[in-house]
Amino acid sequence: MSDAIKHECGIALLRLKKPLEFYKDKYGSAFYGIQKMYLLMEKQHNRGQDGAGFASIKLDVKPGERYISRVRSNDAQAIQDVFRQINERINEEMASHQEYADDVAAQKANIPYIGELFLGHVRYGTFGKNSIESVHPFLRQNNWMHRNLIVAGNFNMTNVTELFNSLVELGQHPKEMADTVTIMEKIGHFLDDEVTDLYQECKNNGLSKREASPVIAEKLPVAKILKRASKGWDGGYAMAGLFGHGDAFVFRDPAGIRPAYFYEDDEIVVVASERPVIQTVFNVPFEKVQELQPGNALIIKKNGTVTEEEIIIPTVKKACSFERIYFSRGSDAEIYQERKELGRLVLPAVLEAIEDDTDNTVFSYIPNTAETSFYGMVEAANDFLNHRKNQFILNNRKTLTKEKLEEILAVKIRTEKIAVKDAKLRTFITDDSSRDDLVAHVYDVTYGVIQPKDNLVIIDDSIVRGTTLKKSILKMMDRLHPKNIVVVSSAPQIRYPDCYGIDMAKLEGLIAFRAALELLKEQNLYAIMDEVYAKCKAQESKPDLEILNEVKQIYMPFQPQEISDKIAQMLSTPEIKANVKIIFQTVENLHKACPKNLGDWYFTGEYPTPGGNRVVNRAFMNFYEGKDARAY
């Protein structure tokens, strides 16, 4: 994605099912869990680079021994910083106590971070500050072991205000109005309720407080707590939690918007946001890693039993398609093929734009994350060329000379590495005109492979704001003097804001929206804006279930290609000599390529939760009223 946006987060949960001595004997270290957590988090660094956090719990410790450890960082290299701190502390303790070297029990009792239950998080700050206080995991502390709660997640809620007010109604005084805090406090409230009820039951049965503790750990109804806490939640989420005594859970939203995968054997239970992370770190095959189903929670009890339980009745599955287009790493077997298919399916539109002139066309990609879809597009281009060759040979087989046949067979699809990013270049000058000039040189281009008669086709994952295209990429490509520059987006036009974890909160930031506004003005249809605003205002007081996405009306007068053409016009500055064309994937082809991830609200406006329609209408009203504010 050439337009950088912040997105998503990544979670990693690991439970060791054997005593720590087992891992020392088999793998050479009782720190096996920490080592695996480092890999689980590092393999998901693409999901968050604003912060990272790690928490661990020791099981069955004596009173007075520390059993919860947590470390967080918002350093520029946050994951490395977290594990640097952990390693320094472990090395310090081991150096000071030589007797710990072969004594796993002593290591567990005295060294922080070693334990049986771990939770890690990598974060992009899509909303709120990037201070250390905003970094997950969050910790809710209590002297009762069972009431300690650690939460981390990949989520955004659309109705934070309502959730905050519900806590106030319960008599709480939340420290801030943030979705992570409100979610944790909601779970914590019902956790306290259940612990209190179980203690009273134990007391009625004649058990002392100390005797009651293991009974509470055994009977704590994690699914019931999540069912009570999640009433009224509206958003996309995959959240993980640890309870102080050793229970754990990972809970996914009922539309399956945010991803979660897990694997279990007789040694471990592991959960991560991406399947290949688990495959790589634990060397397990694709089919052994399961997807946590929408609306379900994976519940890991202290005794090691693992169940998947329905918490909320699933709705129509609308897993985020951007996971497949861009966010998740392309090393997943399914995602790799889907990205190739996205490139393959967009080729017919490319051929139309270049008038089938593949002989005088160079295919390339930018940025590197678009490489896989580039392969698919080129494979389809080769199929097209081979079909054309075969047809020509069949039609002229009686007159075809050997020389002509060799000439035809020698024709190839031309592919080149056109752009290489100069990672060392920094736009350090604050003056706007100077900065823009520097931005245009962030990439180095490959000279000598483009001729003035050539079309240059460049595929990108998606086009969000168009800023990088306008200020950098198109100017850079034009320096090669092609006849036409065709920019291809493997994703459809992004027309609507996201409210489930991607940092696309404002309509005016989307180039497709700005293009639609320009068309409304040119065709004397701008009155539609007033109508949409009036309809949005009229729905403000309605319940979420009754709200409609009124912003769709802004796009209705136009065909997708009209908007694409207007985008091309808006992004082409006067100094660009080449003719610029913009091609977007169709929504229909997106669904063909990614049949398991049908979440497309940023393209279609079909939000998977009721709160989404309220958010898009609020985003439009903010724009109309000139408010520089987020819609959620």
Side-chain angles (χ1 to χ4, degrees):
M1 183 181 295
S2 53
D3 282 329
I5 61 171
K6 294 184 176 181
H7 61 85
E8 305 306 311
C9 290
I11 57 172
L13 185 148
L14 176 62
R15 167 64 196 275
L16 305 182
K17 297 171 72 173
K18 303 281 190 182
L20 293 181
E21 287 80 5
F22 171 87
Y23 305 95
K24 174 73 161 60
D25 293 341
K26 184 170 182 178
Y27 299 106
S29 172
F31 304 117
Y32 171 84
I34 296 172
Q35 294 164 355
K36 291 299 186 182
M37 284 297 295
Y38 170 71
L39 292 173
L40 286 168
M41 292 172 66
E42 188 59 60
K43 292 295 181 182
Q44 295 184 96
H45 75 263
N46 55 298
R47 303 189 69 84
Q49 295 167 29
D50 288 336
F54 171 99
S56 64
I57 289 180
K58 305 173 189 283
L59 302 183
D60 300 316
V61 301
K62 298 175 183 178
E65 292 181 356
R66 181 177 179 181
Y67 59 96
I68 295 177
S69 297
R70 179 180 63 152
V71 58
R72 299 180 294 174
S73 174
N74 60 350
D75 187 83
Q77 301 291 327
I79 299 172
Q80 290 85 346
D81 186 50
V82 162
F83 285 91
R84 177 191 58 77
Q85 295 180 55
I86 292 172
N87 288 333
E88 285 180 357
R89 183 65 189 277
I90 290 173
N91 291 336
E92 178 184 312
E93 293 291 335
M94 293 293 285
S96 301
H97 300 87
Q98 300 294 326
E99 67 274 17
Y100 292 170
D102 296 309
D103 189 342
V104 174
Q107 292 175 9
K108 178 177 173 179
N110 297 286
I111 299 178
Y113 308 115
I114 187 173
E116 295 89 353
L117 184 57
F118 307 92
L119 179 60
H121 188 265
V122 292
R123 176 180 189 267
Y124 268 124
T126 57
F127 184 47
K129 300 176 181 177
N130 288 332
S131 64
I132 194 67
E133 289 80 12
S134 300
V135 178
H136 301 206
F138 282 65
L139 174 61
R140 188 179 190 262
Q141 291 181 293
N142 193 287
N143 273 342
W144 278 64
M145 180 179 283
H146 319 86
R147 293 186 179 184
N148 282 286
L149 174 64
I150 303 170
V151 172
N154 170 17
F155 63 92
N156 261 34
M157 297 296 174
T158 70
N159 59 336
V160 177
T161 302
E162 291 81 356
L163 295 174
F164 179 90
N165 290 337
S166 71
L167 289 173
V168 174
E169 291 299 317
L170 290 170
Q172 293 194 20
H173 191 91
K175 63 182 181 180
E176 62 178 299
M177 193 183 293
D179 53 5
T180 309
V181 172
T182 53
I183 291 301
M184 182 175 67
E185 292 300 333
K186 200 76 179 289
I187 297 171
H189 172 82
F190 292 107
L191 170 63
D192 290 345
D193 266 8
E194 295 299 332
V195 170
T196 300
D197 290 348
L198 284 170
Y199 170 66
Q200 190 61 47
E201 180 185 313
C202 291
K203 185 178 178 182
N204 294 341
N205 291 330
L207 299 179
S208 68
K209 291 180 179 178
R210 188 164 186 172
E211 292 169 331
S213 188
V215 176
I216 294 171
E218 179 185 351
K219 291 187 174 182
L220 190 71
V222 178
K224 182 180 178 182
I225 292 168
L226 294 176
K227 285 177 183 178
R228 296 178 71 189
S230 59
K231 288 181 180 178
W233 289 2
D234 188 293
Y237 49 87
M239 64 179 66
L242 314 179
F243 299 108
H245 64 280
D247 284 358
F249 69 86
V250 178
F251 178 25
R252 192 178 183 197
D253 67 84
I257 296 170
R258 299 274 73 87
Y261 297 88
F262 70 94
Y263 167 76
E264 178 190 10
D265 60 24
D266 61 344
E267 295 182 12
I268 60 154
V269 185
V270 58
V271 186
S273 294
E274 298 187 26
R275 188 198 313 264
V277 172
I278 298 174
Q279 289 182 253
T280 300
V281 174
F282 292 97
N283 191 28
V284 295
F286 176 93
E287 62 274 8
K288 292 289 186 181
V289 182
Q290 301 179 61
E291 182 179 5
L292 180 59
Q293 293 305 301
N296 285 13
L298 189 75
I299 297 173
I300 308 165
K301 292 294 289 180
K302 177 181 178 291
N303 63 13
T305 61
V306 180
T307 57
E308 184 176 355
E309 301 186 39
E310 184 179 288
I311 306 300
I312 302 176
I313 297 173
T315 59
V316 176
K317 187 178 179 183
K318 291 290 184 179
C320 175
S321 57
F322 254 126
E323 287 283 350
R324 322 301 276 190
I325 297 167
Y326 172 72
F327 296 149
S328 293
R329 285 193 174 189
S331 53
D332 182 281
E334 288 184 343
I335 292 176
Y336 183 81
Q337 294 302 325
E338 288 170 7
R339 290 182 181 173
K340 286 186 71 175
E341 190 66 9
L342 286 169
R344 176 178 291 277
L345 291 173
V346 82
L347 181 74
V350 174
L351 293 174
E352 183 179 347
I354 63 173
E355 298 179 340
D356 291 349
D357 184 11
T358 54
D359 292 351
N360 295 302
T361 298
V362 172
F363 293 86
S364 192
Y365 59 91
I366 190 170
N368 288 342
T369 51
E371 186 175 6
T372 306
S373 57
F374 165 76
Y375 290 147
M377 180 176 66
V378 170
E379 284 184 6
N382 277 312
D383 291 344
F384 166 80
L385 179 60
N386 289 335
H387 176 75
R388 191 170 66 180
K389 288 179 181 179
N390 292 336
Q391 286 298 115
F392 183 87
I393 293 169
L394 285 172
N395 293 338
N396 298 275
R397 61 184 181 276
K398 293 181 179 179
T399 59
L400 202 60
T401 65
K402 178 183 176 183
E403 291 75 16
K404 185 62 177 177
L405 178 61
E406 289 176 348
E407 180 186 336
I408 292 167
L409 293 177
V411 175
K412 307 291 185 184
I413 293 295
R414 297 162 62 194
T415 62
E416 302 290 351
K417 179 73 172 177
I418 289 295
V420 180
K421 193 167 187 178
D422 188 346
K424 296 180 181 179
L425 190 63
R426 295 290 183 267
T427 53
F428 55 88
I429 298 176
T430 57
D431 174 71
D432 284 346
S433 60
S434 300
R435 188 196 302 117
D436 288 351
D437 183 59
L438 281 174
V439 166
H441 292 83
V442 166
Y443 289 88
D444 289 330
V445 293
T446 304
Y447 292 97
V449 296
I450 303 291
Q451 303 302 318
K453 63 180 180 178
D454 284 338
N455 304 300
L456 175 55
V457 174
I458 299 289
I459 191 166
D460 193 353
D461 306 290
S462 60
I463 301 169
V464 185
R465 294 181 288 267
T467 307
T468 307
L469 273 175
K470 184 171 185 175
K471 292 187 175 182
S472 175
I473 294 173
L474 289 176
K475 292 179 180 178
M476 170 184 69
M477 297 302 171
D478 196 57
R479 295 204 298 268
L480 301 175
H481 308 297
K483 179 176 66 175
N484 295 303
I485 300 172
V486 182
V487 180
V488 184
S489 169
S490 69
Q493 296 168 3
I494 299 170
R495 298 181 170 193
Y496 304 94
D498 183 78
C499 51
Y500 305 117
I502 306 172
D503 191 23
M504 297 188 299
K506 300 177 182 179
L507 274 168
E508 60 269 31
L510 306 178
I511 186 63
F513 178 75
R514 299 202 307 272
L517 296 190
E518 289 299 313
L519 289 171
L520 289 175
K521 292 175 184 175
E522 291 173 5
Q523 299 184 22
N524 295 319
L525 296 172
Y526 207 75
I528 289 175
M529 296 288 286
D530 302 324
E531 296 170 9
V532 170
Y533 178 73
K535 290 179 179 179
C536 290
K537 289 293 287 185
Q539 294 192 80
E540 275 191 295
S541 59
K542 290 184 178 181
D544 282 348
L545 286 171
E546 297 179 18
I547 294 179
L548 303 175
N549 179 353
E550 301 294 351
V551 182
K552 288 182 179 182
Q553 296 176 59
I554 291 169
Y555 299 98
M556 284 181 180
F558 314 115
Q559 294 297 315
Q561 191 57 50
E562 288 183 82
I563 295 175
S564 297
D565 292 343
K566 177 52 66 174
I567 291 172
Q569 181 183 333
M570 293 169 65
L571 297 182
S572 300
T573 54
E575 66 268 28
I576 293 176
K577 302 296 187 292
N579 179 42
V580 176
K581 300 178 182 180
I582 306 284
I583 293 172
F584 288 89
Q585 187 73 263
T586 66
V587 173
E588 293 75 19
N589 281 342
L590 170 69
H591 291 167
K592 287 180 185 177
C594 308
K596 295 181 181 179
N597 281 52
L598 299 177
D600 60 6
W601 53 92
Y602 15 69
F603 309 126
T604 65
E606 296 293 328
Y607 287 87
T609 75
N613 288 339
R614 182 178 294 279
V615 167
V616 68
N617 288 352
R618 190 180 297 141
F620 177 78
M621 288 187 288
N622 287 342
F623 165 75
Y624 190 92
E625 295 169 0
K627 293 180 180 177
D628 184 19
R630 300 177 69 94
Y632 60 93

